[in-house]
Amino acid sequence: MDIIEKGQGKQRDQWTSKIGFILAAAGSAVGLGNLWKFPYSVGTNGGGAFVMLYFIFLVLIGFPLMLAAITIGRKTQLSAVGAYRSIKKNWAFVGGLGVVCGFFILAFYSTVGGWVIYYLVKALSGGLAIKDPKLLGEIFGGFISSPTASIAYQGIFLLITLLIVIRGISGGIEKASKIMMPALLILLIMIAIRSVTLPGAMKGIEFFLVPDFSKIDMNVIMNALGQVFFSLSIGMGVMVTYGSYLDRNTNLLGPSNSIPLLDTAVAMVAGFATLPAVFALGFEASEGPGLMFVTLPAVFASMPLGNIFCILFFILVLFAALTSSISMLEVCVSYFVDEKGADRIKSSIIISIIIYFVGLPASLSMGPWSDLRILGSLNFFDFYDKLTSNILLTSGGLFLSIFVGWIWGADNAIKEIRRGGVKFSLAPIWKFLIKFIVPPAVFIILINSFKDVISAILS
């Protein structure tokens, strides 16, 4: 093991409090992966069976990897590439993989972020106070098919992300997360209560919670694992980067447990806010990405003071989307700031502009370029999604587990976790999981992910 000590050129920014770190890291995890992707993934992957698999992977893979990533970051006090390289030079590529992954996720994530801003504007004007699913679907379809509107709102979303990241960790990301995260969960709970009390909602609750084991196949398994990686930001360097801004004496066990639990709680509440309404209002559970933009406005339209709730909801969905997007941009920016000595402001601006142009095809592929296929049946949006969720994130998780379990060594990681006299009674179980369970499990899923992508390309 070759440890390379970090040279101290200038003092590095840090979180001002543990709660600030937890909320920011949870904010990275809690985003459109919970509010947009989780409910429609449940709908398209067999309902309760997908949820059950999600929880299994969360415990066996999500928790161990979360602790591993944060531990590497705090140990090295470096961003993703430098963190891996400082422990083992020829493993810097894993950090590089994370930077590339964050870049491409933000490229298509910003497209959906633009949708959220558009819907907020629409709600403010009262244009979403409609109960008819068909009309709501036409509004959504009309917007995403408009190239001017979609790319304009995508640009606005990236601009807001940029303005937060420019201000740094304590002055930008932490402050924003402390405001945005608590409010989101409170309002989601209120909306979920309304959703589950709609006539006919019980069928949606049963679909959400009761697993149908006949629905489980390798595709559902792969999607459940991909959702864990996508939602928790594991595999793209976010948690390594965020962990690097922690004080060396911070107890890592609390945050490593709190982040996945908070993330999962929001995902589940989002499911209760969406899926019961799907059944109650006659929607299809497998509608796909438009589920949040069609179903929830109908829920609001059916409740007292619904437009006010609708406005507040899309404000908070925007907050959730931003807390994730700023973490993705930070992974890219921190690489150039830490590794190349670049200026944070200039790096943030240049990277954001590049991401915007790379993301334009993803935005246009939902409308004017909807018939354009770049690889088999995949348009740009689908390609970015498959590349990141099924391949890059999964590969990042695999390399992370191998690196911590075998290259750096689980015992060295445990020693770092126990710094300052921290008691880690579950260390033997964590060591077993990170060495013997996580790597083969993720490898199997990765192989099937490649098969899925190749199948889509050849179709």
Side-chain angles (χ1 to χ4, degrees), residues 99-426:
V99 174
V100 172
C101 185
F103 179 92
F104 277 102
I105 287 182
L106 187 52
F108 81 89
Y109 194 90
S110 59
T111 297
V112 186
W115 298 352
V116 175
I117 296 177
Y118 170 80
Y119 265 71
L120 173 57
V121 173
K122 196 77 173 175
L124 286 168
S125 67
L128 296 180
I130 301 170
K131 296 181 181 180
D132 186 347
K134 184 178 179 181
L135 291 177
L136 289 167
E138 290 174 356
I139 290 174
F140 180 69
F143 166 63
I144 64 173
S145 64
S146 169
T148 305
S150 58
I151 64 177
Y153 282 103
Q154 180 182 7
I156 293 171
F157 179 80
L158 274 173
L159 177 61
I160 298 172
T161 301
L162 169 64
L163 294 175
I164 296 173
V165 172
I166 279 177
R167 296 178 60 86
I169 292 298
S170 57
I173 296 175
E174 183 175 357
K175 285 184 178 179
S177 300
K178 282 182 176 179
I179 296 171
M180 294 188 283
M181 285 311 302
L184 172 66
L185 185 57
I186 293 171
L187 190 68
L188 259 182
I189 292 173
M190 295 172 62
I191 296 166
I193 291 173
R194 175 55 183 153
S195 179
V196 300
T197 55
L198 289 169
M202 185 54 65
K203 289 183 179 180
I205 296 173
E206 292 176 358
F207 175 80
F208 186 35
L209 297 181
V210 180
D212 180 352
F213 296 104
S214 67
K215 300 289 186 181
I216 298 177
D217 57 23
M218 188 53 66
N219 190 55
V220 173
I221 293 172
M222 180 194 69
N223 289 334
L225 181 56
Q227 177 67 28
V228 170
F229 285 131
F230 187 95
S231 186
L232 291 180
S233 302
I234 296 175
M236 64 175 174
V238 168
M239 294 306 162
V240 173
T241 302
Y242 273 15
S244 73
Y245 296 116
L246 283 170
D247 180 87
R248 288 189 181 276
N249 295 316
T250 301
N251 186 332
L252 301 180
L253 297 179
S256 297
N257 292 327
S258 301
I259 295 164
L261 287 174
L262 182 55
D263 172 76
T264 302
V266 172
M268 292 299 292
V269 176
F272 280 115
T274 305
L275 292 171
V278 169
F279 285 82
L281 298 173
F283 290 86
E284 291 293 329
S286 58
E287 276 187 67
L291 193 62
M292 184 174 77
F293 300 98
V294 176
T295 302
L296 288 180
V299 174
F300 296 128
S302 67
M303 59 192 291
L305 303 176
N307 198 55
I308 294 176
F309 276 95
C310 191
I311 293 169
L312 292 175
F313 175 76
F314 280 107
I315 289 174
L316 295 170
V317 173
L318 176 60
F319 287 171
L322 286 169
T323 53
S324 292
S325 66
I326 58 180
S327 70
M328 299 172 206
L329 183 56
E330 177 62 27
V331 169
C332 301
V333 170
S334 64
Y335 166 74
F336 287 97
V337 172
D338 286 355
E339 297 296 312
K340 307 299 182 182
D343 177 75
R344 168 172 283 271
I345 294 178
K346 290 181 180 178
S347 298
S348 301
I349 293 172
I350 293 171
I351 294 170
S352 296
I353 292 173
I354 295 172
I355 288 175
Y356 175 69
F357 282 104
V358 172
L360 287 182
S363 181
L364 294 172
S365 68
M366 305 302 289
W369 291 4
S370 58
D371 294 329
L372 178 62
R373 300 290 181 264
I374 59 169
L375 283 174
S377 63
L378 302 178
N379 60 25
F380 277 99
F381 190 97
D382 296 332
F383 173 72
Y384 290 167
D385 190 8
K386 290 285 187 184
L387 174 68
T388 55
S389 300
N390 289 358
I391 297 178
L392 294 181
L393 281 173
T394 314
S395 299
L398 174 62
F399 289 130
L400 171 61
S401 63
I402 294 173
F403 183 81
V404 173
W406 297 97
I407 306 303
W408 182 23
D411 289 332
N412 286 317
I414 290 171
K415 182 179 178 181
E416 175 65 22
I417 294 167
R418 285 174 167 164
R419 179 193 286 267
V422 173
K423 294 182 179 180
F424 186 20
S425 58
L426 296 179

